[in-house]
Amino acid sequence: MELLKNKILTDGTVNNEEVLKVDSFLNHQIEAALLNEIGKEFKRRFADVKVDRILTVEASGIAIAVMAAQYFGNVPVVFAKKQESRNLDADIYRSKVYSFTKDKEYEIMVSKRYISEGENVLIVDDFLAKGGAVLGMTDIINQAGANLVGVGIVIEKSYQDGSQILQEKGIRVESLACIKSLKDKTIRFK
Ligand code: G4P
Ligand code: NA
Ligand code: NA
């Protein structure tokens, strides 16, 4: 997606050789017009599949999922929670996720109320690195007996193995910008 790639080139910064900072439009401040175009592009990529629900994980996935939902007939959006909360239903699906970036394990949780057997679910997220978060969400979709129809990613770091792991499992991944390398603090796309 050219618009996104240009935005990454003009506003993205490289911290070290691993992490791309996009706080100015995606992870902290959010540029709604760009996210709207991203939502539209996900619909274009997944025009051939029936989507009943969009699943993401808090926090950065939420805005992306909500924008995308408008183009999928305003299907419900559900985000997996990372924090135990007193308000969370007792009946929940849980999955353990290992974060390589943070080198720690955490749990993601979705109420059984908000994902149903037989539904077609599209996962969306901001980044795909090693695939931990997406694998946790696919585990929850399986526990619910729902169908994963695909994964829409805004920025894939193709030099990490998440995309390959998902595709080896037969999961369809559509990434709007694929980064080949951040070497020498230079952003190179695939
Ligand atoms: P993985 O799920 O693909 O294995 O990735 P990992 O655990 O390493 O990612 C941990 C967090 O870091 C995730 O956000 C992920 O979106 C984000 N992340 C991974 N690589 C990059 C990167 O190069 N740049 C940026 N900006 N973020 C990256 P999170 O902490 O779960 O939370 P949130 O931002 O959604 O709240
Ligand atoms: Na993030
Ligand atoms: Na994320």
Side-chain angles (χ1 to χ4, degrees):
M1 185 183 176
E2 280 318 301
L3 181 69
L4 173 63
K5 289 204 253 181
N6 288 333
K7 188 71 181 173
I8 292 169
L9 287 175
T10 54
D11 293 10
T13 56
V14 183
N15 262 15
N16 50 46
E17 312 238 304
E18 294 261 297
V19 175
L20 174 70
K21 291 278 275 181
V22 286
D23 278 3
S24 70
F25 63 94
L26 193 62
N27 288 143
H28 195 11
Q29 175 171 261
I30 292 174
E31 204 162 295
L34 176 66
L35 260 60
N36 186 48
E37 292 304 317
I38 285 170
K40 211 182 280 179
E41 179 66 13
F42 280 137
K43 174 61 190 180
R44 200 180 65 76
R45 305 262 188 129
F46 289 104
D48 58 317
V49 289
K50 179 172 168 280
V51 173
D52 300 316
R53 177 181 301 278
I54 297 179
L55 176 64
T56 189
V57 58
E58 64 177 342
S60 301
I62 298 173
I64 298 159
V66 168
M67 287 293 201
Q70 300 179 100
Y71 294 98
F72 287 89
N74 286 304
V75 293
V77 171
V78 62
F79 61 95
K81 300 205 178 196
K82 293 175 181 165
Q83 300 271 311
E84 206 75 54
S85 140
R86 241 175 299 185
N87 299 328
L88 200 61
D89 291 347
D91 267 355
I92 51 181
Y93 297 114
R94 296 167 181 273
S95 188
K96 286 204 165 56
V97 174
Y98 177 71
S99 168
F100 288 88
T101 309
K102 292 173 182 155
D103 187 28
K104 66 174 194 206
E105 201 172 62
Y106 63 98
E107 227 176 9
I108 58 169
M109 292 159 274
V110 175
S111 165
K112 292 188 178 176
R113 249 190 245 232
Y114 300 125
I115 181 160
S116 307
E117 192 177 343
E119 274 184 336
N120 283 355
V121 180
L122 175 68
I123 290 175
V124 306
D125 209 355
D126 56 342
F127 272 91
L128 177 60
K130 301 209 174 176
V134 171
L135 286 172
M137 288 188 272
T138 65
D139 178 31
I140 285 175
I141 290 169
N142 289 336
Q143 289 178 48
N147 314 309
L148 172 64
V149 295
V151 177
I153 296 293
V154 179
I155 304 173
E156 171 186 309
K157 298 197 291 181
S158 307
Y159 56 90
Q160 297 190 294
D161 53 9
S163 171
Q164 199 190 328
I165 288 168
L166 297 178
Q167 292 187 42
E168 279 167 4
K169 288 179 179 287
I171 296 169
R172 175 172 170 191
V173 180
E174 294 282 351
S175 302
L176 306 189
C178 294
I179 292 174
K180 186 172 72 180
S181 147
L182 295 176
K183 272 201 195 79
D184 308 320
K185 301 203 172 183
T186 304
I187 301 164
R188 291 187 183 85
F189 295 105
K190 207 162 82 171

